[in-house]
Amino acid sequence: DLSWKVLDTLSLRADYTYTDAIDASTKLELARRPRNRLSLTGDWQALPDLNLDATLLVTGPQSDIGRESGITEKLGGYTVLNLAASYRLTETWSLFGRIENATDTDYQSPDGFLRPGIGAYGGIKASL
């Protein structure tokens, strides 16, 4: 994990995970555990009341049991971009929104379970 406060209003963060998950009895790679996973996040206080965030998730290939074949197979890696924003209207009320999978990446995890495409969410938040 590496964090850097570039400016008073901008911070960046990088997280990397290396996983060497091996079954002790078979000596095979455990299913659904990517060896490499990287997350890059930027958080920007664009205006006193406006905050913007972007997160890029990069997941490397992983082995899985094929849903149809029943044998071990390698699933390709994937990259997903998530965006978020919040705007404080008053001390109590704020608007928020997020876009998940902003690039509409097609990927499966686990095999046979297609992950959602692009999604947009928003709302109003009250802090009492």
Side-chain angles (χ1 to χ4, degrees):
D1 156 346
L2 177 66
S3 297
W4 180 31
K5 188 138 178 114
V6 180
L7 303 167
D8 286 341
T9 58
L10 177 64
S11 62
L12 302 175
R13 179 181 172 124
D15 294 285
Y16 172 74
T17 303
Y18 174 82
T19 304
D20 191 15
I22 305 295
D23 184 310
S25 61
T26 64
K27 307 295 185 223
L28 297 174
E29 194 175 291
L30 291 177
R32 301 184 188 133
R33 289 164 181 86
R35 189 168 296 244
N36 298 287
R37 182 171 234 162
L38 173 68
S39 148
L40 302 171
T41 301
D43 182 32
W44 180 34
Q45 192 71 44
L47 299 169
D49 295 323
L50 177 64
N51 183 265
L52 304 172
D53 294 297
T55 301
L56 185 68
L57 303 168
V58 181
T59 301
Q62 57 190 296
S63 57
D64 199 357
I65 306 297
R67 183 175 176 197
E68 294 179 14
S69 68
I71 60 174
T72 300
E73 57 187 44
K74 197 68 134 177
L75 296 179
Y78 54 89
T79 301
V80 176
L81 176 64
N82 298 321
L83 305 170
S86 63
Y87 185 78
R88 187 175 62 193
L89 299 168
T90 68
E91 290 297 317
T92 305
W93 297 97
S94 59
L95 298 174
F96 69 90
R98 73 180 193 273
I99 300 173
E100 294 182 357
N101 194 4
T103 56
D104 201 21
T105 300
D106 288 328
Y107 66 101
Q108 296 181 40
S109 180
D111 182 51
F113 291 84
L114 185 62
R115 304 306 295 176
I118 190 170
Y121 309 89
I124 300 172
K125 179 180 173 181
S127 301
L128 304 175

